[in-house]
PDB file of all heavy atoms in Angstrom:
ATOM      1  N   LYS A1117       0.823  -1.234  -0.031  1.00 97.00           N
ATOM      2  CA  LYS A1117      -0.043  -0.012   0.050  1.00 97.00           C
ATOM      3  C   LYS A1117       0.878   1.275   0.044  1.00 97.00           C
ATOM      4  O   LYS A1117       0.544   2.333  -0.612  1.00 97.00           O
ATOM      5  CB  LYS A1117      -0.940   0.010   1.224  1.00 97.00           C
ATOM      6  CG  LYS A1117      -1.827   1.284   1.367  1.00 97.00           C
ATOM      7  CD  LYS A1117      -2.706   1.073   2.585  1.00 97.00           C
ATOM      8  CE  LYS A1117      -3.529   2.324   2.654  1.00 97.00           C
ATOM      9  NZ  LYS A1117      -4.393   2.246   3.984  1.00 97.00           N
ATOM     10  N   LEU A1118       1.928   1.178   0.666  1.00 94.00           N
ATOM     11  CA  LEU A1118       2.936   2.247   0.755  1.00 94.00           C
ATOM     12  C   LEU A1118       3.902   2.409  -0.487  1.00 94.00           C
ATOM     13  O   LEU A1118       4.778   3.205  -0.477  1.00 94.00           O
ATOM     14  CB  LEU A1118       3.698   2.234   1.964  1.00 94.00           C
ATOM     15  CG  LEU A1118       2.993   2.361   3.309  1.00 94.00           C
ATOM     16  CD1 LEU A1118       3.728   2.127   4.540  1.00 94.00           C
ATOM     17  CD2 LEU A1118       2.251   3.787   3.400  1.00 94.00           C
ATOM     18  N   GLY A1119       3.682   1.522  -1.506  1.00 93.00           N
ATOM     19  CA  GLY A1119       4.402   1.559  -2.681  1.00 93.00           C
ATOM     20  C   GLY A1119       5.634   0.584  -2.751  1.00 93.00           C
ATOM     21  O   GLY A1119       6.306   0.510  -3.663  1.00 93.00           O
ATOM     22  N   GLY A1120       5.739  -0.269  -1.707  1.00 92.00           N
ATOM     23  CA  GLY A1120       6.876  -1.226  -1.781  1.00 92.00           C
ATOM     24  C   GLY A1120       6.523  -2.428  -2.626  1.00 92.00           C
ATOM     25  O   GLY A1120       5.319  -2.654  -2.894  1.00 92.00           O
ATOM     26  N   GLN A1121       7.418  -3.183  -3.044  1.00 91.00           N
ATOM     27  CA  GLN A1121       7.389  -4.360  -3.748  1.00 91.00           C
ATOM     28  C   GLN A1121       7.932  -5.633  -2.960  1.00 91.00           C
ATOM     29  O   GLN A1121       8.946  -5.421  -2.334  1.00 91.00           O
ATOM     30  CB  GLN A1121       8.051  -4.293  -5.070  1.00 91.00           C
ATOM     31  CG  GLN A1121       7.400  -3.244  -6.027  1.00 91.00           C
ATOM     32  CD  GLN A1121       8.178  -3.171  -7.221  1.00 91.00           C
ATOM     33  OE1 GLN A1121       9.288  -3.628  -7.522  1.00 91.00           O
ATOM     34  NE2 GLN A1121       7.597  -2.447  -8.329  1.00 91.00           N
ATOM     35  N   ILE A1122       7.373  -6.713  -3.130  1.00 91.00           N
ATOM     36  CA  ILE A1122       7.853  -7.927  -2.483  1.00 91.00           C
ATOM     37  C   ILE A1122       8.184  -8.891  -3.442  1.00 91.00           C
ATOM     38  O   ILE A1122       7.385  -9.191  -4.441  1.00 91.00           O
ATOM     39  CB  ILE A1122       6.820  -8.484  -1.482  1.00 91.00           C
ATOM     40  CG1 ILE A1122       6.478  -7.442  -0.412  1.00 91.00           C
ATOM     41  CG2 ILE A1122       7.338  -9.852  -0.895  1.00 91.00           C
ATOM     42  CD1 ILE A1122       5.342  -7.864   0.556  1.00 91.00           C
ATOM     43  N   ARG A1123       9.349  -9.540  -3.426  1.00 89.00           N
ATOM     44  CA  ARG A1123       9.718 -10.664  -4.324  1.00 89.00           C
ATOM     45  C   ARG A1123       9.807 -11.907  -3.476  1.00 89.00           C
ATOM     46  O   ARG A1123      10.648 -11.941  -2.553  1.00 89.00           O
ATOM     47  CB  ARG A1123      11.065 -10.360  -4.946  1.00 89.00           C
ATOM     48  CG  ARG A1123      11.053  -9.337  -6.036  1.00 89.00           C
ATOM     49  CD  ARG A1123      10.480  -9.705  -7.374  1.00 89.00           C
ATOM     50  NE  ARG A1123      11.319 -10.706  -7.927  1.00 89.00           N
ATOM     51  CZ  ARG A1123      12.286 -10.495  -8.944  1.00 89.00           C
ATOM     52  NH1 ARG A1123      12.461  -9.352  -9.254  1.00 89.00           N
ATOM     53  NH2 ARG A1123      12.820 -11.529  -9.455  1.00 89.00           N
ATOM     54  N   TYR A1124       9.070 -12.971  -3.859  1.00 90.00           N
ATOM     55  CA  TYR A1124       9.227 -14.185  -3.192  1.00 90.00           C
ATOM     56  C   TYR A1124       9.982 -15.166  -4.060  1.00 90.00           C
ATOM     57  O   TYR A1124      10.197 -14.970  -5.269  1.00 90.00           O
ATOM     58  CB  TYR A1124       7.764 -14.804  -2.963  1.00 90.00           C
ATOM     59  CG  TYR A1124       6.841 -13.945  -2.087  1.00 90.00           C
ATOM     60  CD1 TYR A1124       5.858 -13.095  -2.547  1.00 90.00           C
ATOM     61  CD2 TYR A1124       7.043 -14.071  -0.699  1.00 90.00           C
ATOM     62  CE1 TYR A1124       5.114 -12.323  -1.729  1.00 90.00           C
ATOM     63  CE2 TYR A1124       6.300 -13.289   0.220  1.00 90.00           C
ATOM     64  CZ  TYR A1124       5.322 -12.375  -0.420  1.00 90.00           C
ATOM     65  OH  TYR A1124       4.523 -11.629   0.466  1.00 90.00           O
ATOM     66  N   ALA A1125      10.542 -16.213  -3.438  1.00 91.00           N
ATOM     67  CA  ALA A1125      11.234 -17.226  -4.135  1.00 91.00           C
ATOM     68  C   ALA A1125      12.312 -16.706  -5.030  1.00 91.00           C
ATOM     69  O   ALA A1125      12.531 -17.054  -6.053  1.00 91.00           O
ATOM     70  CB  ALA A1125      10.252 -18.201  -4.945  1.00 91.00           C
ATOM     71  N   SER A1126      13.133 -15.647  -4.340  1.00 92.00           N
ATOM     72  CA  SER A1126      14.180 -14.950  -5.087  1.00 92.00           C
ATOM     73  C   SER A1126      15.365 -14.919  -4.253  1.00 92.00           C
ATOM     74  O   SER A1126      15.669 -13.917  -3.568  1.00 92.00           O
ATOM     75  CB  SER A1126      13.761 -13.628  -5.444  1.00 92.00           C
ATOM     76  OG  SER A1126      12.574 -13.634  -6.363  1.00 92.00           O
ATOM     77  N   PRO A1127      16.189 -16.073  -4.096  1.00 93.00           N
ATOM     78  CA  PRO A1127      17.312 -16.106  -3.179  1.00 93.00           C
ATOM     79  C   PRO A1127      18.184 -14.958  -3.574  1.00 93.00           C
ATOM     80  O   PRO A1127      18.695 -14.785  -4.762  1.00 93.00           O
ATOM     81  CB  PRO A1127      17.826 -17.428  -3.402  1.00 93.00           C
ATOM     82  CG  PRO A1127      16.776 -18.210  -4.013  1.00 93.00           C
ATOM     83  CD  PRO A1127      15.990 -17.251  -4.791  1.00 93.00           C
ATOM     84  N   VAL A1128      18.706 -14.312  -2.505  1.00 93.00           N
ATOM     85  CA  VAL A1128      19.535 -13.077  -2.645  1.00 93.00           C
ATOM     86  C   VAL A1128      21.035 -13.596  -2.395  1.00 93.00           C
ATOM     87  O   VAL A1128      21.372 -14.302  -1.338  1.00 93.00           O
ATOM     88  CB  VAL A1128      19.304 -12.034  -1.581  1.00 93.00           C
ATOM     89  CG1 VAL A1128      20.343 -10.947  -1.585  1.00 93.00           C
ATOM     90  CG2 VAL A1128      17.904 -11.557  -1.879  1.00 93.00           C
ATOM     91  N   ALA A1129      21.959 -13.340  -3.288  1.00 95.00           N
ATOM     92  CA  ALA A1129      23.285 -13.654  -3.115  1.00 95.00           C
ATOM     93  C   ALA A1129      24.115 -12.648  -2.271  1.00 95.00           C
ATOM     94  O   ALA A1129      24.925 -13.023  -1.450  1.00 95.00           O
ATOM     95  CB  ALA A1129      24.025 -13.755  -4.518  1.00 95.00           C
ATOM     96  N   ARG A1130      23.857 -11.305  -2.548  1.00 94.00           N
ATOM     97  CA  ARG A1130      24.480 -10.279  -1.758  1.00 94.00           C
ATOM     98  C   ARG A1130      23.633  -9.037  -1.909  1.00 94.00           C
ATOM     99  O   ARG A1130      22.894  -8.829  -2.837  1.00 94.00           O
ATOM    100  CB  ARG A1130      25.921 -10.120  -2.089  1.00 94.00           C
ATOM    101  CG  ARG A1130      26.157  -9.587  -3.461  1.00 94.00           C
ATOM    102  CD  ARG A1130      27.700  -9.471  -3.783  1.00 94.00           C
ATOM    103  NE  ARG A1130      27.956  -8.894  -5.063  1.00 94.00           N
ATOM    104  CZ  ARG A1130      28.035  -7.664  -5.218  1.00 94.00           C
ATOM    105  NH1 ARG A1130      27.969  -6.827  -4.366  1.00 94.00           N
ATOM    106  NH2 ARG A1130      28.287  -7.162  -6.496  1.00 94.00           N
ATOM    107  N   LEU A1131      23.923  -8.109  -0.968  1.00 95.00           N
ATOM    108  CA  LEU A1131      23.319  -6.792  -0.965  1.00 95.00           C
ATOM    109  C   LEU A1131      24.410  -5.839  -1.422  1.00 95.00           C
ATOM    110  O   LEU A1131      25.578  -6.026  -1.186  1.00 95.00           O
ATOM    111  CB  LEU A1131      22.831  -6.387   0.345  1.00 95.00           C
ATOM    112  CG  LEU A1131      21.727  -7.226   1.064  1.00 95.00           C
ATOM    113  CD1 LEU A1131      21.424  -6.797   2.414  1.00 95.00           C
ATOM    114  CD2 LEU A1131      20.520  -7.307   0.169  1.00 95.00           C
ATOM    115  N   GLN A1132      24.007  -4.799  -2.216  1.00 93.00           N
ATOM    116  CA  GLN A1132      25.023  -3.738  -2.647  1.00 93.00           C
ATOM    117  C   GLN A1132      24.676  -2.391  -1.848  1.00 93.00           C
ATOM    118  O   GLN A1132      23.581  -2.198  -1.492  1.00 93.00           O
ATOM    119  CB  GLN A1132      24.916  -3.645  -4.160  1.00 93.00           C
ATOM    120  CG  GLN A1132      23.720  -3.190  -4.722  1.00 93.00           C
ATOM    121  CD  GLN A1132      23.704  -3.166  -6.270  1.00 93.00           C
ATOM    122  OE1 GLN A1132      24.274  -4.069  -6.824  1.00 93.00           O
ATOM    123  NE2 GLN A1132      23.246  -2.121  -6.867  1.00 93.00           N
ATOM    124  N   LEU A1133      25.735  -1.705  -1.659  1.00 91.00           N
ATOM    125  CA  LEU A1133      25.648  -0.432  -1.003  1.00 91.00           C
ATOM    126  C   LEU A1133      26.054   0.675  -1.973  1.00 91.00           C
ATOM    127  O   LEU A1133      26.939   0.511  -2.849  1.00 91.00           O
ATOM    128  CB  LEU A1133      26.692  -0.378   0.176  1.00 91.00           C
ATOM    129  CG  LEU A1133      26.351  -1.405   1.371  1.00 91.00           C
ATOM    130  CD1 LEU A1133      27.483  -1.209   2.374  1.00 91.00           C
ATOM    131  CD2 LEU A1133      25.125  -1.139   1.975  1.00 91.00           C
ATOM    132  N   HIS A1134      25.553   1.816  -1.653  1.00 90.00           N
ATOM    133  CA  HIS A1134      25.931   3.065  -2.340  1.00 90.00           C
ATOM    134  C   HIS A1134      26.013   4.179  -1.288  1.00 90.00           C
ATOM    135  O   HIS A1134      24.919   4.334  -0.713  1.00 90.00           O
ATOM    136  CB  HIS A1134      25.014   3.408  -3.527  1.00 90.00           C
ATOM    137  CG  HIS A1134      25.461   4.682  -4.270  1.00 90.00           C
ATOM    138  ND1 HIS A1134      26.512   4.830  -4.958  1.00 90.00           N
ATOM    139  CD2 HIS A1134      24.857   5.909  -4.187  1.00 90.00           C
ATOM    140  CE1 HIS A1134      26.615   5.982  -5.454  1.00 90.00           C
ATOM    141  NE2 HIS A1134      25.565   6.708  -5.041  1.00 90.00           N
ATOM    142  N   GLN A1135      27.068   4.818  -1.120  1.00 90.00           N
ATOM    143  CA  GLN A1135      27.266   5.821  -0.124  1.00 90.00           C
ATOM    144  C   GLN A1135      26.743   5.396   1.276  1.00 90.00           C
ATOM    145  O   GLN A1135      26.067   6.041   1.951  1.00 90.00           O
ATOM    146  CB  GLN A1135      26.541   7.116  -0.584  1.00 90.00           C
ATOM    147  CG  GLN A1135      27.097   7.762  -1.864  1.00 90.00           C
ATOM    148  CD  GLN A1135      26.448   8.953  -2.260  1.00 90.00           C
ATOM    149  OE1 GLN A1135      25.409   9.283  -1.905  1.00 90.00           O
ATOM    150  NE2 GLN A1135      27.181   9.700  -3.103  1.00 90.00           N
ATOM    151  N   GLY A1136      27.060   4.125   1.709  1.00 85.00           N
ATOM    152  CA  GLY A1136      26.850   3.590   2.917  1.00 85.00           C
ATOM    153  C   GLY A1136      25.412   3.166   3.219  1.00 85.00           C
ATOM    154  O   GLY A1136      25.058   2.854   4.264  1.00 85.00           O
ATOM    155  N   ARG A1137      24.561   3.139   2.085  1.00 89.00           N
ATOM    156  CA  ARG A1137      23.168   2.681   2.289  1.00 89.00           C
ATOM    157  C   ARG A1137      22.928   1.591   1.266  1.00 89.00           C
ATOM    158  O   ARG A1137      23.472   1.521   0.239  1.00 89.00           O
ATOM    159  CB  ARG A1137      22.214   3.791   1.930  1.00 89.00           C
ATOM    160  CG  ARG A1137      22.239   4.872   2.975  1.00 89.00           C
ATOM    161  CD  ARG A1137      21.209   6.001   2.697  1.00 89.00           C
ATOM    162  NE  ARG A1137      19.909   5.524   2.501  1.00 89.00           N
ATOM    163  CZ  ARG A1137      18.939   5.302   3.471  1.00 89.00           C
ATOM    164  NH1 ARG A1137      19.232   5.703   4.676  1.00 89.00           N
ATOM    165  NH2 ARG A1137      17.716   4.862   3.109  1.00 89.00           N
ATOM    166  N   VAL A1138      22.112   0.618   1.650  1.00 91.00           N
ATOM    167  CA  VAL A1138      21.655  -0.415   0.818  1.00 91.00           C
ATOM    168  C   VAL A1138      21.063   0.137  -0.388  1.00 91.00           C
ATOM    169  O   VAL A1138      20.091   0.875  -0.270  1.00 91.00           O
ATOM    170  CB  VAL A1138      20.742  -1.540   1.467  1.00 91.00           C
ATOM    171  CG1 VAL A1138      20.269  -2.471   0.470  1.00 91.00           C
ATOM    172  CG2 VAL A1138      21.511  -2.252   2.575  1.00 91.00           C
ATOM    173  N   SER A1139      21.478  -0.224  -1.621  1.00 94.00           N
ATOM    174  CA  SER A1139      21.001   0.362  -2.792  1.00 94.00           C
ATOM    175  C   SER A1139      20.391  -0.783  -3.794  1.00 94.00           C
ATOM    176  O   SER A1139      19.702  -0.504  -4.777  1.00 94.00           O
ATOM    177  CB  SER A1139      21.998   1.059  -3.667  1.00 94.00           C
ATOM    178  OG  SER A1139      23.119   0.292  -3.896  1.00 94.00           O
ATOM    179  N   GLY A1140      20.513  -2.065  -3.350  1.00 94.00           N
ATOM    180  CA  GLY A1140      19.993  -3.117  -4.169  1.00 94.00           C
ATOM    181  C   GLY A1140      20.393  -4.480  -3.653  1.00 94.00           C
ATOM    182  O   GLY A1140      21.089  -4.542  -2.770  1.00 94.00           O
ATOM    183  N   ALA A1141      19.729  -5.456  -4.329  1.00 95.00           N
ATOM    184  CA  ALA A1141      19.961  -6.807  -3.950  1.00 95.00           C
ATOM    185  C   ALA A1141      20.394  -7.515  -5.245  1.00 95.00           C
ATOM    186  O   ALA A1141      19.703  -7.308  -6.282  1.00 95.00           O
ATOM    187  CB  ALA A1141      18.808  -7.498  -3.314  1.00 95.00           C
ATOM    188  N   ILE A1142      21.388  -8.292  -5.193  1.00 96.00           N
ATOM    189  CA  ILE A1142      21.842  -9.124  -6.326  1.00 96.00           C
ATOM    190  C   ILE A1142      21.379 -10.566  -6.148  1.00 96.00           C
ATOM    191  O   ILE A1142      21.673 -11.228  -5.082  1.00 96.00           O
ATOM    192  CB  ILE A1142      23.314  -9.127  -6.614  1.00 96.00           C
ATOM    193  CG1 ILE A1142      23.720  -7.592  -6.852  1.00 96.00           C
ATOM    194  CG2 ILE A1142      23.724 -10.015  -7.697  1.00 96.00           C
ATOM    195  CD1 ILE A1142      25.262  -7.332  -6.927  1.00 96.00           C
ATOM    196  N   LEU A1143      20.511 -11.089  -6.903  1.00 96.00           N
ATOM    197  CA  LEU A1143      19.949 -12.418  -6.697  1.00 96.00           C
ATOM    198  C   LEU A1143      20.920 -13.466  -7.172  1.00 96.00           C
ATOM    199  O   LEU A1143      21.880 -13.154  -7.964  1.00 96.00           O
ATOM    200  CB  LEU A1143      18.597 -12.562  -7.544  1.00 96.00           C
ATOM    201  CG  LEU A1143      17.570 -11.469  -7.158  1.00 96.00           C
ATOM    202  CD1 LEU A1143      16.236 -11.751  -8.042  1.00 96.00           C
ATOM    203  CD2 LEU A1143      17.192 -11.443  -5.662  1.00 96.00           C
ATOM    204  N   GLU A1144      20.688 -14.658  -6.640  1.00 96.00           N
ATOM    205  CA  GLU A1144      21.547 -15.767  -7.100  1.00 96.00           C
ATOM    206  C   GLU A1144      21.625 -16.005  -8.642  1.00 96.00           C
ATOM    207  O   GLU A1144      22.556 -16.539  -9.062  1.00 96.00           O
ATOM    208  CB  GLU A1144      21.081 -17.055  -6.374  1.00 96.00           C
ATOM    209  CG  GLU A1144      21.427 -17.038  -4.850  1.00 96.00           C
ATOM    210  CD  GLU A1144      21.151 -18.379  -4.177  1.00 96.00           C
ATOM    211  OE1 GLU A1144      20.416 -19.308  -4.735  1.00 96.00           O
ATOM    212  OE2 GLU A1144      21.378 -18.404  -3.058  1.00 96.00           O
ATOM    213  N   ASN A1145      20.475 -15.634  -9.244  1.00 96.00           N
ATOM    214  CA  ASN A1145      20.473 -15.893 -10.689  1.00 96.00           C
ATOM    215  C   ASN A1145      21.073 -14.688 -11.411  1.00 96.00           C
ATOM    216  O   ASN A1145      21.101 -14.630 -12.728  1.00 96.00           O
ATOM    217  CB  ASN A1145      19.029 -15.943 -11.193  1.00 96.00           C
ATOM    218  CG  ASN A1145      18.160 -14.697 -11.075  1.00 96.00           C
ATOM    219  OD1 ASN A1145      18.731 -13.633 -10.754  1.00 96.00           O
ATOM    220  ND2 ASN A1145      16.869 -14.827 -11.342  1.00 96.00           N
ATOM    221  N   GLY A1146      21.798 -13.778 -10.692  1.00 96.00           N
ATOM    222  CA  GLY A1146      22.490 -12.639 -11.333  1.00 96.00           C
ATOM    223  C   GLY A1146      21.629 -11.344 -11.482  1.00 96.00           C
ATOM    224  O   GLY A1146      22.181 -10.319 -11.792  1.00 96.00           O
ATOM    225  N   GLU A1147      20.361 -11.462 -11.403  1.00 96.00           N
ATOM    226  CA  GLU A1147      19.532 -10.273 -11.536  1.00 96.00           C
ATOM    227  C   GLU A1147      19.875  -9.296 -10.474  1.00 96.00           C
ATOM    228  O   GLU A1147      19.924  -9.623  -9.246  1.00 96.00           O
ATOM    229  CB  GLU A1147      18.096 -10.680 -11.467  1.00 96.00           C
ATOM    230  CG  GLU A1147      17.039  -9.550 -11.728  1.00 96.00           C
ATOM    231  CD  GLU A1147      15.574  -9.986 -11.651  1.00 96.00           C
ATOM    232  OE1 GLU A1147      15.305 -11.134 -11.471  1.00 96.00           O
ATOM    233  OE2 GLU A1147      14.797  -9.032 -11.837  1.00 96.00           O
ATOM    234  N   THR A1148      19.816  -7.948 -10.727  1.00 95.00           N
ATOM    235  CA  THR A1148      19.937  -6.904  -9.787  1.00 95.00           C
ATOM    236  C   THR A1148      18.704  -6.180  -9.526  1.00 95.00           C
ATOM    237  O   THR A1148      18.015  -5.757 -10.602  1.00 95.00           O
ATOM    238  CB  THR A1148      21.047  -5.886 -10.093  1.00 95.00           C
ATOM    239  OG1 THR A1148      22.335  -6.609 -10.245  1.00 95.00           O
ATOM    240  CG2 THR A1148      21.252  -4.794  -9.097  1.00 95.00           C
ATOM    241  N   LEU A1149      18.244  -6.108  -8.253  1.00 95.00           N
ATOM    242  CA  LEU A1149      17.051  -5.311  -7.914  1.00 95.00           C
ATOM    243  C   LEU A1149      17.497  -4.047  -7.203  1.00 95.00           C
ATOM    244  O   LEU A1149      18.060  -4.151  -6.119  1.00 95.00           O
ATOM    245  CB  LEU A1149      16.230  -6.046  -7.094  1.00 95.00           C
ATOM    246  CG  LEU A1149      15.708  -7.495  -7.494  1.00 95.00           C
ATOM    247  CD1 LEU A1149      14.919  -8.215  -6.399  1.00 95.00           C
ATOM    248  CD2 LEU A1149      14.850  -7.382  -8.765  1.00 95.00           C
ATOM    249  N   ASP A1150      17.233  -2.884  -7.893  1.00 95.00           N
ATOM    250  CA  ASP A1150      17.617  -1.598  -7.245  1.00 95.00           C
ATOM    251  C   ASP A1150      16.543  -1.110  -6.232  1.00 95.00           C
ATOM    252  O   ASP A1150      15.352  -1.559  -6.403  1.00 95.00           O
ATOM    253  CB  ASP A1150      17.759  -0.477  -8.310  1.00 95.00           C
ATOM    254  CG  ASP A1150      18.966  -0.853  -9.328  1.00 95.00           C
ATOM    255  OD1 ASP A1150      19.935  -1.271  -8.792  1.00 95.00           O
ATOM    256  OD2 ASP A1150      18.903  -0.510 -10.431  1.00 95.00           O
ATOM    257  N   CYS A1151      16.959  -0.486  -5.234  1.00 93.00           N
ATOM    258  CA  CYS A1151      16.083  -0.080  -4.203  1.00 93.00           C
ATOM    259  C   CYS A1151      16.409   1.292  -3.533  1.00 93.00           C
ATOM    260  O   CYS A1151      17.648   1.530  -3.433  1.00 93.00           O
ATOM    261  CB  CYS A1151      15.761  -1.239  -3.175  1.00 93.00           C
ATOM    262  SG  CYS A1151      17.178  -1.567  -2.190  1.00 93.00           S
ATOM    263  N   ALA A1152      15.492   1.990  -3.023  1.00 91.00           N
ATOM    264  CA  ALA A1152      15.752   3.149  -2.116  1.00 91.00           C
ATOM    265  C   ALA A1152      15.845   2.712  -0.689  1.00 91.00           C
ATOM    266  O   ALA A1152      16.558   3.347   0.104  1.00 91.00           O
ATOM    267  CB  ALA A1152      14.651   4.145  -2.236  1.00 91.00           C
ATOM    268  N   ALA A1153      15.185   1.573  -0.377  1.00 90.00           N
ATOM    269  CA  ALA A1153      15.223   1.089   1.029  1.00 90.00           C
ATOM    270  C   ALA A1153      14.998  -0.514   0.884  1.00 90.00           C
ATOM    271  O   ALA A1153      14.362  -0.915  -0.134  1.00 90.00           O
ATOM    272  CB  ALA A1153      14.172   1.634   1.898  1.00 90.00           C
ATOM    273  N   LEU A1154      15.451  -1.317   1.832  1.00 89.00           N
ATOM    274  CA  LEU A1154      15.226  -2.741   1.791  1.00 89.00           C
ATOM    275  C   LEU A1154      14.909  -3.294   3.218  1.00 89.00           C
ATOM    276  O   LEU A1154      15.466  -2.745   4.131  1.00 89.00           O
ATOM    277  CB  LEU A1154      16.553  -3.382   1.240  1.00 89.00           C
ATOM    278  CG  LEU A1154      16.471  -4.902   1.147  1.00 89.00           C
ATOM    279  CD1 LEU A1154      17.070  -5.251  -0.187  1.00 89.00           C
ATOM    280  CD2 LEU A1154      17.220  -5.602   2.257  1.00 89.00           C
ATOM    281  N   VAL A1155      13.905  -4.085   3.256  1.00 87.00           N
ATOM    282  CA  VAL A1155      13.537  -4.741   4.526  1.00 87.00           C
ATOM    283  C   VAL A1155      14.157  -6.053   4.542  1.00 87.00           C
ATOM    284  O   VAL A1155      13.960  -6.939   3.639  1.00 87.00           O
ATOM    285  CB  VAL A1155      11.945  -4.890   4.648  1.00 87.00           C
ATOM    286  CG1 VAL A1155      11.726  -5.587   5.869  1.00 87.00           C
ATOM    287  CG2 VAL A1155      11.284  -3.495   4.657  1.00 87.00           C
ATOM    288  N   PHE A1156      15.032  -6.232   5.509  1.00 86.00           N
ATOM    289  CA  PHE A1156      15.697  -7.590   5.721  1.00 86.00           C
ATOM    290  C   PHE A1156      14.983  -8.456   6.680  1.00 86.00           C
ATOM    291  O   PHE A1156      14.896  -8.090   7.944  1.00 86.00           O
ATOM    292  CB  PHE A1156      17.163  -7.337   6.178  1.00 86.00           C
ATOM    293  CG  PHE A1156      17.903  -8.535   6.292  1.00 86.00           C
ATOM    294  CD1 PHE A1156      18.297  -9.345   5.338  1.00 86.00           C
ATOM    295  CD2 PHE A1156      18.288  -8.984   7.578  1.00 86.00           C
ATOM    296  CE1 PHE A1156      19.069 -10.588   5.398  1.00 86.00           C
ATOM    297  CE2 PHE A1156      18.966 -10.169   7.824  1.00 86.00           C
ATOM    298  CZ  PHE A1156      19.329 -10.934   6.719  1.00 86.00           C
ATOM    299  N   ASN A1157      14.357  -9.526   6.203  1.00 83.00           N
ATOM    300  CA  ASN A1157      13.652 -10.347   7.082  1.00 83.00           C
ATOM    301  C   ASN A1157      14.532 -11.574   7.333  1.00 83.00           C
ATOM    302  O   ASN A1157      14.067 -12.686   6.836  1.00 83.00           O
ATOM    303  CB  ASN A1157      12.302 -10.667   6.442  1.00 83.00           C
ATOM    304  CG  ASN A1157      11.407 -11.628   7.354  1.00 83.00           C
ATOM    305  OD1 ASN A1157      11.687 -11.598   8.570  1.00 83.00           O
ATOM    306  ND2 ASN A1157      10.597 -12.351   6.720  1.00 83.00           N
ATOM    307  N   GLY A1158      15.597 -11.524   7.937  1.00 84.00           N
ATOM    308  CA  GLY A1158      16.444 -12.728   8.217  1.00 84.00           C
ATOM    309  C   GLY A1158      17.127 -12.595   9.509  1.00 84.00           C
ATOM    310  O   GLY A1158      16.968 -11.573  10.226  1.00 84.00           O
ATOM    311  N   ASP A1159      18.087 -13.511   9.760  1.00 84.00           N
ATOM    312  CA  ASP A1159      18.825 -13.506  10.930  1.00 84.00           C
ATOM    313  C   ASP A1159      19.906 -12.480  10.809  1.00 84.00           C
ATOM    314  O   ASP A1159      20.722 -12.554   9.748  1.00 84.00           O
ATOM    315  CB  ASP A1159      19.424 -14.976  11.090  1.00 84.00           C
ATOM    316  CG  ASP A1159      20.263 -15.182  12.416  1.00 84.00           C
ATOM    317  OD1 ASP A1159      20.615 -14.040  13.124  1.00 84.00           O
ATOM    318  OD2 ASP A1159      20.440 -16.272  12.804  1.00 84.00           O
ATOM    319  N   THR A1160      20.058 -11.557  11.671  1.00 85.00           N
ATOM    320  CA  THR A1160      21.093 -10.460  11.503  1.00 85.00           C
ATOM    321  C   THR A1160      22.482 -11.106  11.467  1.00 85.00           C
ATOM    322  O   THR A1160      23.375 -10.479  10.981  1.00 85.00           O
ATOM    323  CB  THR A1160      20.867  -9.457  12.631  1.00 85.00           C
ATOM    324  OG1 THR A1160      20.962 -10.142  13.913  1.00 85.00           O
ATOM    325  CG2 THR A1160      19.653  -8.789  12.603  1.00 85.00           C
ATOM    326  N   ALA A1161      22.697 -12.344  12.090  1.00 84.00           N
ATOM    327  CA  ALA A1161      23.945 -12.881  11.994  1.00 84.00           C
ATOM    328  C   ALA A1161      24.419 -13.156  10.584  1.00 84.00           C
ATOM    329  O   ALA A1161      25.575 -13.143  10.240  1.00 84.00           O
ATOM    330  CB  ALA A1161      23.942 -14.265  12.811  1.00 84.00           C
TER     331      ALA A1161
END
């Protein structure tokens, strides 16, 4: 409702940063998802 998007069944290989902030997620299949903000729903470890 607030304009966010959710991707399911899309394993993330790594997160990318730009100027100290998360700017995207690189999926295991090589696809890059750019973002202004990212919600991490995982173990902080």
